[in-house]
Every structure is written in C-alpha cells, then in structure tokens.
C-alpha cells in the first residue's frame, strides 16, 4: 500500500508551508476566545442567581458552557477546514506534480486516502487544542466527562465529513481559492439549511433538519452518541470521498 | 518493448494524433522528432497512462496501457517536459518518496536512492530543498526519479529543453551513459540531439508519422541528388554558364560573390561523378578553383523537407 508515503508527504507539506501552524494557531485562539466568553457569562449568570436567592444548582456547566463551546468550535472548523483541504489536489494539478504522481504505480484511492488522512491528522490537532480549556473548566466546577469525550469524538467525525467535501472541491479545480470558496459555500449552505427546517411543513422539516451539518453535533455534545448522527457523518464522508475518487478516475476516460 | 498500433487522439474536435503506429525493440534508443505541437507529448502521455487515447492500442513491456496501467507504470521511468517538483522537499527525501511509491522498501530503497543520486550526480545536493536548485540540477533530479526503481523502459519528453549548452551536453552524456541495456524513447525537436543520442528516429508532424528509420538512412533516402560546393575565381555569369553546361549538373545556385570569387552550390545526378570534369572545365577556362567539396543534406534539411512535403 502506498497510502503511508503520500500521507507523510502531505503532512510534511502542511508544516513546511506553515498552513498547519496558522490554522492550528487561529483555531486555538478563536476557541480560546469563545471559551473565555462562555465562562465569563456563566460567572455573571451564577452571580446574578445568588443575588436573587435563586438556587444556583439550576445552572449547569455542561448545559451553559460545554454545549455552546462545542457548537462554536464546530462552526470554526467549518470556516477553517476548507483552507486545510483546498491545496490537496488543486496545488498538485497547478504545479504539475499530479501528472508525475499519476504515472507512478499508485492507485487513485491510495492517493486520496493518504491526503485525507493527512488533513484528518491536522484536524485532530485542532480538536486536541480544545483540551487545555476543558481541563481549566474542570477546575472551575464539576463537569461531566462523558459529554466532553463524546463532544470531542463528534467534532472529529464532523471534521472528517468537512474534509471529504473539501477534498472533492479540491479535486475538481486547479485553483486553490476556488476549491476553498466552493467547499466553504457548500458547507455553509448545508449548515444554514437547518434554519428553515422549522418554517417548512412537517414532512420536509424533518428531512431538512436531518441534512443540516452542524445540528448533528448536538447529541454528541449532550453526551449521547446517537447512531443516526454517527451514520450521518459517516455517510457524508463516504459519499464525498467516493465522488472525489470518481473525479480522479474521470481523467482516464475524459482526457 | 513499446508497441503502438493506430493510435488516434482527439482533444474535442481537434485531432492531435492520427493513426500513429510504431514498434520499439528491447534495448533500442529511439528519438521521437517533430516540431512543437506535432503530437509528441500527447503520445508520451498516452504511453505513460496519464491520458486515454481516443482509439488504438499501446503496449509497453507486453502490457496494455489501458487495461493494465499499474503493470506498465511499474516498468517505466518517465521524465516529463518540465519536471514538476514539490519545492518544499529535499532531494533525498523526494527520491525516497518516489522510490516508496514505486514499491521499493526498507534497505533496498535506501540503497537505490543513494546509488541513483550518485549516478545522476546530485549526491552533493542530497540535503538541499528542490525549490532552490538550478535548472540543470533539477533536470538531473528528474532523471534520478525516473531511474530510481531501475525501470526497463525510459521515456523522456524533451529532456534538454530550457537548459544552457553545458547543461545540455551533461544531460545528453548522462542519458547515453544511463541508457545501457534499457529501452529509451525520447522526444525532441532538436535534430542534432536525435542524431547524437538515437539509433533510430521517428518523425512526426501534425499527428502523423512521416518517416521512421535510422538517421543516416533518412538523410540518404531523401537525397535524390548529390550536392557540391565550389568556390571559383572568375566572372559570375560566365562561370555559372560554364558550370551549367557540364553533363550531370541539375542546378547551379549562387551562394555568394565577393571580390571576384563566387561560391556556387551545384546539384548533380546522384549517379554522375562530375568532380573531375568540373575541375578540368574550370582550369581550361582560366578561372581559379579555390574549393570543391561535397555538401551533404543535414538532418535539419531532411526534416524540413519531410515536414513541408507532408503539408497539404
């Protein structure tokens, strides 16, 4: 199998081109900012609750900090991952290395998987950068570790789905900007489509809500791994990877 | 080793290759010659499995390019026209990457990479970033990536294009040295390169093969007339008239006339030997014979003749 050399080269290229540092840095910065805001407003809320002699037990860290924190992180991923995936094929096509690469005895699927895994490792790094915030949270108050684990797990599945779509976009063009914008646009549409879910009538509203790419993270953030959400992200990943593979293969008969 | 059978390729409505057929035997070094846009690169891209043909068949090392692309790719080393590189990689790491994609593993891979760097004379740049190498070094790294798995067939697309004269000589001698027992197919638009490197030349123009032979034979075939270059001291018109009168002379062409000395290109029937008669005629007329030598058709002229004859 030739997945490993492709994967290693891609990962090295991420760090050599400083994309990795920029993306990791910005993701850590933004999620840190969200974390600070959420903890601060939680602090204000609990202060207000004590003053009005309400029971402070009504305020829950998981509910008020953890869930919005994961949701915000997943939106940040939606913004940043198209930048991670845009170069995967577009750059090789523009520079011409794709031509040489495909004259080596490698299968398209090996190239695709190698590149996909490199982007996935980078996104694991991004998700891992949330850990310090979560540890700090544990010092602030008692938190449930179940939702933390499932939330992180859900973010990874979501990242895989975003990467698959981004890879497809990158395989269709040799312009990295076009790849990034189209992947970002598609993901954004797949997110905001959920907002009209409540406006549409009953049969459509369930379908539309099911399509929405961010909403499926909610149950993960609550500490529940629901098979329908897991399957949604897996199907999403497989579908777009398969389409990317078809695009790669199409050059054999299209010329 | 390479068999191409009535290969045809269309890019949309534009025909790039029309019924191209040729065979290259094991161990041959064959030049693929033609002006830019003749279909050389298209043929090569089909042979390397990067492009599909519209119709026709191509086999490399006994495997069909369309049906068994992986088997073919395992057996060829390919140097594209402008070798594309990952600029952020170092030479050794890059060659190691290529070697691993070509299926070499472990110690064997390390050994092959070191050896090929030595042979292509890039060992001194092993730890340099490819992006910073000069054009000549890049081309040698390109050769090294083609050779790293010791393939049976080497395919080079314009291997010396864009290099300076010293680098051209270097790359050519490397190609000559490395070809060894391998089958080499190299495209070029430079005729002297084809005659210097190749035993056999295939000439292609506008997607069609116009000639296929050894370079000496090609020149011989087209030379229906022999040519002589003479330098004679004497009045222009009378000398030309006198030369024309000799038996066997087809045409006399004035090349230059400086200070009473004229240079003339004389085309003669191939069968006639007129040099003696010519010398006698010049001397008996009282002119001075300063030079008399045969002027062969160069491959360059053969090429232009072939290419222009083919055009409608």
């Amino acid at each position: 199998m030739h997945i490993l050399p492709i994967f290693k080269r891609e990962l090295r290229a991420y760090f050599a081109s400083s994309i990795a540092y920029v993306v990791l840095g910005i993701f850590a910065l933004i999620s840190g900012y969200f974390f600070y805001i959420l903890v601060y407003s939680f602090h204000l809320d609990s202060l207000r609750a004590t003053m009005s002699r309400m029971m402070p037990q009504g305020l829950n860290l998981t509910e008020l900090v953890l869930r919005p924190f994961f949701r915000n992180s997943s939106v940040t991923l939606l913004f940043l991952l198209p930048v991670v995936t845009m170069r995967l094929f577009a750059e090789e096509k523009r520079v011409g290395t794709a031509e040489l690469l495909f004259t080596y005895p490698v299968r398209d699927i090996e190239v695709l998987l190698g590149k996909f895994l490199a982007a996935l490792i980078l996104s694991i790094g991004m998700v891992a950068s949330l850990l310090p915030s979560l540890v700090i949270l544990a010092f602030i108050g008692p938190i449930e570790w179940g939702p933390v684990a499932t939330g992180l797990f859900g973010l990874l599945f979501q990242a895989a789905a975003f990467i698959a779509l981004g890879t497809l976009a990158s395989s269709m063009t040799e312009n990295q900007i076009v790849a990034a914008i189209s992947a970002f646009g598609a993901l954004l549409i797949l997110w905001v489509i959920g907002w009209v879910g409540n406006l549409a009538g009953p049969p459509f509203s369930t379908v539309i809500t099911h399509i929405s790419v961010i909403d499926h993270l909610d149950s993960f953030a609550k500490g529940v791994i629901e098979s329908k959400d897991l399957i949604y992200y897996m199907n999403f990943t497989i579908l777009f990877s398969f389409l990317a593979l078809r695009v790669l293969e199409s050059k054999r008969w299209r010329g | 080793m390479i068999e191409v059978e009535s290969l045809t390729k269309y890019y949309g409505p534009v025909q790039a290759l029309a019924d191209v057929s040729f065979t290259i035997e094991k161990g041959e070094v064959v030049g693929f010659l033609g002006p830019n846009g003749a279909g050389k690169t298209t043929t090569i891209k089909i042979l390397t499995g990067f492009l599909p043909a519209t119709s026709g068949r191509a086999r490399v090392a006994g495997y069909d390019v369309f049906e068994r692309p992986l088997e073919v790719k395992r057996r060829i080393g390919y140097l594209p026209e402008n070798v594309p590189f990952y600029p952020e990689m170092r030479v050794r790491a890059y060659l190691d990457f290529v070697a691993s994609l070509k299926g070499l593993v472990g110690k064997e891979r390390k050994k092959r990479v070191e050896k090929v760097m030595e042979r292509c004379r890039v060992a001194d740049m092993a730890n340099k970033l490819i992006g910073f190498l000069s054009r000549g070094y890049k081309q040698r790294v390109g050769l090294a990536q083609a050779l790293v798995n010791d393939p049976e067939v080497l395919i080079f697309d314009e291997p010396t294009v864009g290099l300076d004269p010293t680098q051209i000589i270097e790359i050519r001698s490397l190609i000559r040295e490395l070809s060894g027992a391998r089958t080499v197919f190299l495209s070029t638009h430079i005729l002297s390169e084809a005659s210097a490197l190749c035993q056999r030349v295939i000439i292609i123009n506008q997607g069609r093969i116009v000639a296929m032979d050894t370079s000496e034979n090609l020149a011989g075939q087209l030379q229906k007339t022999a040519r002589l270059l003479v330098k004679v001291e004497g009045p222009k018109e009378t000398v030309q008239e006198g030369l024309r009168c000799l038996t066997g002379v087809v045409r006399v062409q004035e090349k230059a006339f400086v200070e009473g000395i004229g240079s003339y290109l004389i085309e003669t029937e191939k069968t006639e030997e007129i040099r003696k008669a010519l010398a006698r005629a010049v001397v008996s007329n009282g002119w001075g014979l300063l030079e008399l030598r045969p002027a062969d058709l160069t491959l360059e002229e053969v090429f232009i003749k072939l290419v222009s004859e083919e055009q409608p």
Side-chain angles (χ1 to χ4, degrees):
Chain A
M1 290 301 261
H2 300 114
I3 296 175
L4 196 63
I6 303 263
F7 163 73
K8 283 202 302 208
R9 199 205 66 75
E10 284 303 327
L11 200 59
R12 205 184 289 139
Y14 273 130
F15 284 95
S17 64
S18 74
I19 291 179
Y21 303 105
V22 172
V23 167
L24 283 170
I26 288 186
F27 184 76
L29 193 73
I30 291 174
S31 56
Y33 167 76
F34 282 137
F35 178 71
Y36 174 75
I37 297 281
L38 287 167
V39 169
Y40 189 65
S41 68
F42 178 80
H43 168 72
L44 289 183
D45 281 351
S46 52
L47 216 60
R48 224 172 280 137
T50 341
M51 302 249 283
S52 60
R53 294 167 210 284
M54 242 179 66
M55 293 297 279
Q57 283 92 321
L59 296 175
N60 178 319
L61 269 180
T62 307
E63 199 60 28
L64 287 177
V65 178
L66 215 50
R67 274 182 67 191
F69 183 54
F70 280 133
R71 200 182 166 89
N72 290 349
S73 300
S74 84
V75 174
T76 316
L77 279 179
L78 187 147
F79 276 78
L80 286 180
L81 282 179
V83 179
V84 170
T85 53
M86 67 178 186
R87 50 167 294 281
L88 286 177
F89 285 100
E91 188 182 37
E92 292 224 40
K93 280 200 278 184
R94 166 145 297 182
V95 179
T97 45
E99 184 191 337
L100 204 50
L101 184 63
F102 287 113
T103 61
Y104 296 144
V106 245
R107 276 172 239 276
D108 294 346
I109 190 161
E110 294 170 334
V111 176
L112 185 76
L113 284 176
K115 285 173 182 284
F116 177 84
L117 287 177
L120 191 64
I121 287 289
L122 196 57
S123 64
I124 288 177
M126 290 161 81
V127 172
S129 76
L130 302 177
L131 286 171
S133 305
L134 296 168
V135 170
I136 291 169
L137 196 62
F139 283 106
I140 293 171
I143 62 165
E144 304 164 69
W145 287 103
V148 170
T150 54
L152 291 173
F153 188 69
L155 275 181
L156 287 181
F157 269 83
Q158 195 181 47
F162 292 175
I163 289 168
L165 192 144
T167 310
L168 173 67
S170 186
S171 72
M172 293 197 295
T173 173
E174 42 182 75
N175 187 321
Q176 296 192 42
I177 307 289
V178 171
I181 300 276
S182 49
F184 171 67
L187 288 175
L188 202 59
I189 287 168
L190 284 171
W191 171 31
V192 298
I193 202 168
W195 298 353
V196 300
N198 301 327
L199 300 175
F204 302 108
S205 61
T206 26
V207 174
I208 290 173
T209 328
H210 187 72
I211 290 173
S212 177
V213 77
I214 298 266
D215 292 347
H216 287 274
L217 194 77
D218 263 356
S219 55
F220 285 104
K222 279 185 220 155
V224 192
I225 298 180
E226 280 203 49
S227 55
K228 76 169 167 61
D229 300 319
L230 204 60
I231 287 168
Y232 172 84
Y233 284 130
M234 277 160 72
N235 277 347
F236 195 107
T237 309
I238 291 167
L239 172 70
F240 286 104
S241 300
F242 174 75
L243 290 177
L245 192 62
R246 292 264 93 145
V247 171
L248 291 184
E249 279 168 0
S250 73
K251 72 185 182 307
R252 302 242 190 292
W253 45 264
R254 246 186 12 204
Chain B
M1 214 56 177
I2 301 177
E3 298 153 67
V4 173
E5 250 174 77
S6 51
L7 215 54
T8 303
K9 172 76 187 171
Y10 282 90
Y11 291 112
V14 183
Q15 191 173 37
L17 290 180
D19 199 24
V20 168
S21 304
F22 58 84
T23 312
I24 296 172
E25 301 297 330
K26 192 173 158 69
E28 261 191 311
V29 180
V30 175
F32 197 39
L33 203 62
N36 293 327
K40 300 185 300 268
T41 301
T42 303
T43 309
I44 283 178
K45 282 187 174 170
I46 291 171
L47 284 179
T48 53
F50 184 71
L51 277 184
T54 310
S55 71
R57 287 160 59 80
R59 289 160 71 82
V60 175
Y63 293 97
D64 192 292
V65 173
F66 315 112
E67 281 156 23
R68 309 287 301 278
L70 282 184
E71 294 300 327
V72 171
K73 287 171 184 179
R74 262 182 212 124
R75 286 164 178 83
I76 56 173
Y78 171 45
L79 178 71
E81 187 172 347
N82 293 303
V83 195
F85 286 118
Y86 304 101
E88 80 281 357
M89 289 187 99
R90 292 174 200 284
V91 173
R92 181 181 280 122
Y94 170 70
L95 291 174
D96 189 70
F97 166 69
V98 174
S100 59
L101 288 183
K102 290 186 172 188
L104 296 170
V105 285
K107 276 210 180 92
E108 172 68 15
R109 184 166 84 213
K110 276 214 176 70
K111 226 172 69 191
R112 286 289 322 166
V113 168
E114 295 304 320
K115 199 171 154 197
V116 85
M117 284 198 298
E118 207 62 56
R119 293 201 70 179
C120 296
R121 297 181 210 127
V122 289
D124 48 334
M125 295 287 167
N127 294 315
K128 287 266 190 318
L129 289 176
I130 298 180
F132 293 139
L133 293 183
S134 70
R135 188 81 176 75
Y137 263 109
K138 276 184 184 160
Q139 199 71 4
R140 280 189 258 166
V141 174
L143 270 180
Q145 66 79 28
L147 287 158
V148 72
N149 60 333
D150 204 3
E152 299 167 57
V153 181
L154 291 174
I155 298 178
F156 299 144
D157 195 1
E158 305 261 5
T160 57
V161 83
L163 298 179
D164 71 31
T166 345
Q167 293 168 334
I168 289 179
I169 292 168
E170 240 179 55
I171 292 291
R172 280 186 192 162
S173 74
L174 262 178
I175 291 175
R176 213 172 290 133
E177 199 179 302
L178 298 171
S179 48
R182 294 188 184 93
T183 310
V184 181
F185 184 55
L186 78 99
S187 86
T188 175
H189 64 274
I190 308 158
L191 296 139
S192 54
E193 188 161 286
S195 51
L197 290 172
C198 308
Q199 302 148 358
R200 210 150 64 86
V201 181
I202 298 171
I203 299 182
I204 186 171
N205 186 45
Q206 295 187 333
R208 283 169 202 283
I209 290 187
V210 289
M212 195 169 3
D213 211 331
T214 59
S215 44
E216 298 87 40
N217 278 0
L218 269 180
Q221 255 178 33
L222 275 136
Q223 218 165 340
K224 287 155 197 143
T225 57
R227 304 199 303 174
L228 292 172
L229 193 75
V230 291
K231 248 185 195 172
V232 179
E233 192 176 9
K236 193 159 49 168
E237 278 76 28
T238 18
V239 171
Q240 279 198 38
E241 200 45 52
L243 292 174
R244 237 174 242 130
C245 290
L246 294 167
T247 41
V249 171
V250 180
R251 209 154 67 95
V252 176
Q253 196 187 342
E254 183 194 322
K255 296 286 259 190
F257 191 82
V258 188
E259 291 169 20
I261 301 169
S263 303
Y264 309 95
L265 190 67
I266 304 173
E267 278 185 39
T268 68
E269 308 267 347
K270 211 169 187 180
T271 46
E272 297 280 332
E273 175 50 77
I274 68 150
R275 274 180 290 185
K276 275 189 216 157
L278 191 145
R280 257 199 307 276
V282 170
V283 174
S284 66
N285 279 311
W287 308 320
L289 181 62
L290 300 174
E291 196 181 337
L292 170 60
R293 62 182 169 89
D296 269 327
L297 213 56
T298 61
L299 203 49
E300 207 90 27
E301 288 163 303
V302 174
F303 179 60
I304 289 163
K305 229 170 169 170
L306 275 171
V307 165
S308 49
E309 268 171 17
E310 272 298 304
Q311 274 165 8

